[in-house]
Amino acid sequence: MRKYRLMAPGPTPVPEKVLLKMADTLIHHRTPQFQTVLKNVNDKLKKVFCTRHPVLMFASSGTGAMETSVVNLLSRGDKVIVIRGGKFGERFGEISEAYGVRTVNYDVNWGAPADPEVVGDLLAANPGVKAVFSTLCETSTGIVNDIRSIGGVVSKTDAVLVVDAISGLSADELKPDEWGVDVVIGGSQKGLMLPPGLSFLSVSSKAEKLIENSDLPKYYFSLKAALKSYAKNDTPWTPAVSLIQGLNEVLDMMLREGLDNILVRHARLAEATRMAMIALGMELFSEKPSNAVTAVKVPKNVDGQALVKKMRDEQGMTIAGGQGDLKGKIFRIAHLGYMDKYDTIAAIAAVGTVLRQLGYQTELGKGVAKAEEILLDE
Ligand SMILES: *Cc1c(COP(=O)(O)O)cnc(C)c1O
């Protein structure tokens, strides 16, 4: 027998209690019962997103909310700045181009964070830019961007700052209202400990003004419709009722643990993983590592794709390989969501085992010992 363990940066494991909640009797969405759930969820979402602004939900994966931000904030011919330091930064550019929005690309070396000064220079060189798109954690490279500084730069202009926090939320600090972030995007299957299928998007007052004037085509993903219903504690279309019932439970769990404690837990697990990988003789890929996911360089003479495959098929553990140009060159272990000390130690042990099987010379247990030491008081 093998237990199956999800250690990839999404989907992440779902707590048993939440799974049971989602198996509850299905209720109709136009009822006082569901309105109560929705009211609770909407209030708690603001706390978890650390914002006083509305956090809207869509029945889609995270990319749906990314597309929602583009089609609702912008108009034909608008110009935007896209920070592209990996797969997900690129996605914002692809969506913008699909709708005829003009993009100014800031190409950051994969593995490095964006430089806020460059963002400022690009804003100065491109007057009239309507939005800047960034990621908090760029999951494909494992870096975390300095959103506080980027927000400081963007908030001095008329442009809005849109942050894809799909993987970073709850793992890396984000204070949207204080840092000048106008739109925060989330997804259910990462730090929010739910199955895939819900996306989230917060809307600042500055963003609401752009929404009023946007003329790009949209229907299902209309933020005007979503905001109008939100004000009446309703949703424009049938919401993902079961997922929202699960979300209600998740948000209680998160608020009970406390957002600061959750950040510390992710930071500790990430630190232990980073140090364990170094103890095993490997190098980290990211210059500024996120606490959501650790990206590690595959050692020379080791088949990176075989490593990920053996982890899954023989050890029962799903980690992530590299995407795009990084295929076979890095592997990524997540610390996201419903994870504790022993999940992390198990992942480190399995990586050590598989590396040895693939001919890499390392002493078994070295990574685990390092992690145990770091997490001794956990
Ligand atoms: C997972 C992820 C997404 C993609 O979300 P989907 O739910 O697959 O649509 C987007 N951005 C980042 C940073 C992610 O980690």
Side-chain angles (χ1 to χ4, degrees):
M1 187 196 81
R2 282 261 185 248
K3 278 198 183 174
Y4 180 57
R5 293 179 165 92
L6 273 172
M7 300 294 298
T12 64
V14 179
E16 295 72 11
K17 234 169 113 181
V18 177
L19 288 170
L20 286 172
K21 245 323 179 238
M22 290 187 297
D24 242 357
T25 307
L26 187 70
I27 57 174
H28 194 279
H29 57 292
R30 310 288 183 209
T31 56
Q33 286 81 358
F34 185 70
Q35 282 225 315
T36 305
V37 174
L38 196 59
K39 175 89 180 64
N40 281 331
V41 164
N42 285 341
D43 289 345
K44 289 181 274 193
L45 272 176
K46 286 185 179 180
K47 293 186 185 147
V48 168
F49 276 66
C50 299
T51 181
R52 58 178 193 283
H53 300 297
V55 181
L56 304 165
M57 289 185 276
F58 297 93
S60 77
S61 78
T63 306
M66 293 171 76
E67 181 155 341
T68 300
S69 71
V70 170
V71 299
N72 283 275
L73 293 169
L74 304 169
S75 294
R76 288 179 177 84
D78 275 353
K79 203 191 249 190
V80 299
I81 293 173
V82 181
I83 299 176
R84 304 196 310 173
K87 247 331 209 202
F88 296 106
E90 285 182 354
R91 186 166 299 177
F92 267 135
E94 288 162 8
I95 298 168
S96 300
E97 279 155 21
Y99 286 96
V101 170
R102 292 179 296 156
T103 55
V104 175
N105 294 324
Y106 169 18
D107 285 319
V108 183
N109 279 340
W110 285 34
D115 179 350
E117 258 184 53
V118 175
V119 178
D121 294 346
L122 286 172
L123 279 164
N126 294 279
V129 156
K130 285 278 179 63
V132 175
F133 292 97
S134 179
T135 49
L136 174 60
C137 164
E138 174 50 75
T139 321
S140 61
T141 65
I143 62 101
V144 59
N145 277 311
D146 180 359
I147 298 300
R148 186 199 298 253
S149 302
I150 295 173
V153 170
V154 179
S155 61
K156 286 198 209 102
T157 70
D158 288 335
V160 290
L161 176 58
V162 180
V163 173
D164 168 358
I166 294 173
S167 62
L169 190 85
S170 81
D172 295 311
E173 191 185 23
L174 180 65
K175 296 268 185 276
D177 298 357
E178 291 158 44
W179 296 359
V181 179
D182 296 289
V183 172
V184 178
I185 291 171
S188 54
Q189 79 276 27
K190 311 246 166 145
L192 290 174
M193 306 184 280
L194 286 167
L198 275 183
S199 66
F200 305 90
L201 185 149
S202 72
V203 182
S204 76
S205 329
K206 193 173 170 187
E208 274 199 57
K209 292 208 184 79
L210 284 186
I211 292 166
E212 282 303 312
N213 299 317
S214 156
D215 71 0
L216 288 183
K218 60 224 159 228
Y219 187 85
Y220 180 82
F221 287 116
S222 162
L223 283 178
K224 261 190 204 166
L227 284 165
K228 199 169 152 204
S229 296
Y230 184 93
K232 294 181 291 189
N233 193 32
D234 204 349
T235 57
W237 335 113
T238 308
V241 174
S242 304
L243 283 169
I244 292 173
Q245 285 176 308
L247 176 64
N248 200 14
E249 188 72 27
V250 160
L251 295 171
D252 282 338
M253 279 178 69
M254 291 179 80
L255 294 171
R256 228 177 288 131
E257 184 176 357
L259 294 180
D260 290 338
N261 296 330
I262 293 174
L263 287 175
V264 169
R265 174 165 55 83
H266 283 80
R268 304 258 294 146
L269 299 181
E271 175 68 7
T273 306
R274 292 191 288 259
M275 292 304 122
M277 293 300 120
I278 291 168
L280 287 170
M282 288 182 288
E283 269 179 74
L284 304 177
F285 178 73
S286 325
E287 284 174 32
K288 193 167 170 249
S290 160
N291 292 328
V293 59
T294 295
V296 186
K297 289 186 194 168
V298 173
K300 266 202 188 65
N301 305 323
V302 170
D303 179 342
Q305 278 168 276
L307 185 146
V308 174
K309 192 166 179 299
K310 279 171 85 70
M311 285 285 285
R312 186 193 59 214
D313 297 345
E314 295 170 20
Q315 308 298 322
M317 194 175 292
T318 293
I319 59 168
Q323 294 170 283
D325 290 345
L326 293 175
K327 210 179 177 100
K329 294 186 180 141
I330 62 167
F331 62 92
R332 295 171 295 147
I333 303 173
H335 326 291
L336 257 180
Y338 188 49
M339 295 271 175
D340 73 0
K341 169 177 175 173
Y342 292 107
D343 293 315
T344 294
I345 288 174
I348 294 164
V351 166
T353 298
V354 170
L355 279 172
R356 259 287 274 277
Q357 292 173 343
L358 288 170
Y360 179 69
Q361 292 305 314
T362 184
E363 202 180 307
L364 283 178
K366 254 189 155 170
V368 169
K370 191 75 197 171
E372 277 190 290
E373 234 166 69
I374 292 171
L375 299 174
L376 190 59
D377 300 322
E378 202 69 20

